[in-house]
Amino acid sequence: MCDYLKNVILQIFVVNKDVSPSIRMFQCPSCPYSSPFKYNVNKHKLIHTGERPYSCRICGKAFRDPSNLKKHIMLPVCQKLFSCAYHVKIYNCQSCPYSTPLPSNLRRHTLIHTGERPYVCKFCGKSFRDQSYFKRHNKQHTLGRI
């Protein structure tokens, strides 16, 4: 890979503080925070207002971001209540006490017990159980760091 292409890839993956003047930036009215995405500024403003519009219907805990609510619902305490209150099927591991409302989580978890490592690097042959670690590893190859 040539130096120019490496530089372009690094600029994509590295946060660049110097934003082109042609990109419209949205500004938080309460602090210096700005973003080229209005959604990000609106989400950021919740820090100043203290508003937490996403709440768990089981225990009442509130969150600024819907992704944090989703993670919260996956916690064992709310999972058990969640399954009763919403009639959601809970998937249980046959080898340990792990349980989850998502079958994809159980499939990924099961790999711990089987020792299977389905994601294999085509560059060096290293294998991974988790797809996110595999992708991160491959990115190191494409950036020339390995």
Side-chain angles (χ1 to χ4, degrees):
M1 183 183 309
C2 71
D3 289 336
Y4 175 77
L5 188 54
K6 280 184 187 176
N7 200 14
V8 170
I9 291 171
L10 283 173
Q11 286 178 9
I12 291 169
F13 290 110
V14 175
V15 176
N16 190 352
K17 299 284 184 198
D18 303 321
V19 178
S20 169
S22 64
I23 296 175
R24 179 175 178 195
M25 297 297 284
F26 295 90
Q27 179 74 43
C28 173
S30 304
C31 74
Y33 177 82
S34 64
S35 171
F37 304 104
K38 189 174 185 175
Y39 171 81
N40 289 353
V41 174
N42 287 338
K43 194 165 82 169
H44 164 82
K45 283 194 239 177
L46 296 176
I47 292 171
H48 302 296
T49 65
E51 185 183 355
R52 294 172 179 262
Y54 307 98
S55 60
C56 177
R57 289 191 265 170
I58 306 300
C59 69
K61 185 167 181 170
F63 301 89
R64 285 188 201 106
D65 191 280
S67 64
N68 290 335
L69 172 60
K70 187 176 179 182
K71 288 175 196 168
H72 167 78
I73 289 172
M74 297 302 138
L75 292 174
V77 172
C78 273
Q79 271 184 21
K80 298 215 182 330
L81 295 171
F82 188 78
S83 66
C84 297
Y86 294 96
H87 306 290
V88 172
K89 181 171 173 55
I90 296 293
Y91 298 88
N92 298 303
C93 178
Q94 301 300 314
S95 303
C96 74
Y98 179 82
S99 64
T100 179
L102 300 176
S104 59
N105 284 355
L106 182 61
R107 280 192 300 275
R108 185 175 55 230
H109 167 80
T110 304
L111 296 175
I112 293 170
H113 301 297
T114 65
E116 184 183 354
R117 300 170 80 82
Y119 305 101
V120 180
C121 177
K122 65 181 178 184
F123 298 107
C124 68
K126 187 171 181 178
S127 62
F128 298 87
R129 185 171 43 237
D130 189 276
Q131 187 178 26
S132 62
Y133 294 137
F134 170 68
K135 285 181 178 179
R136 185 173 64 189
H137 171 82
N138 272 345
K139 194 180 288 183
Q140 298 299 312
H141 279 296
T142 57
L143 293 175
R145 294 182 183 157
I146 297 180

